Amino acid sequence: MPDPTPGATADPGAAPQRTRLAWRRTGLSAAAVTLLSVRPAFTPGAGPPEWLGAAGAMICWAALVGIALHRAPGLRAPVPAVVPRSIRAYALITVALAALAGWVVML
């Protein structure tokens, strides 16, 4: 079957690399959000809401890093396996962290 896009070349090596970089970028932005979410817990008048927000942010960030570290070796394979569970979990945790950050902004 002919290639539908003339001049296009297969790029099997760059797709996993782009995926790894995207996961790394998400982890770094999650680290920044976590640090900003933890900051109110260290103010003089901090109470349980601030502490719970900080704990939630740290748990979300740790889960993101854990999933990314678990997934990284699979991306080095010649044909990376699709793991919908880890991708779905990563997306849900990212959304939860964003919602938590929005709640911290409203404090």
Side-chain angles (χ1 to χ4, degrees):
M1 176 173 230
D3 190 12
T5 54
T9 58
D11 194 9
Q17 182 181 9
R18 284 191 303 267
T19 303
R20 273 195 310 275
L21 290 172
W23 283 56
R24 182 173 291 161
R25 215 172 26 248
T26 303
L28 289 173
S29 63
V33 167
T34 301
L35 289 173
L36 291 173
S37 297
V38 169
R39 188 173 178 216
F42 291 101
T43 59
E50 289 85 7
W51 300 332
L52 288 174
M58 289 188 289
I59 289 169
C60 285
W61 180 76
L64 285 176
V65 169
I67 292 171
L69 288 174
H70 178 72
R71 177 77 176 118
L75 291 173
R76 290 188 185 98
V79 178
V82 177
V83 185
R85 270 191 348 207
S86 66
I87 295 169
R88 197 173 310 125
Y90 205 75
L92 289 173
I93 294 169
T94 302
V95 169
L97 189 58
L100 184 64
W103 176 71
V104 168
V105 167
M106 299 303 286
L107 282 177

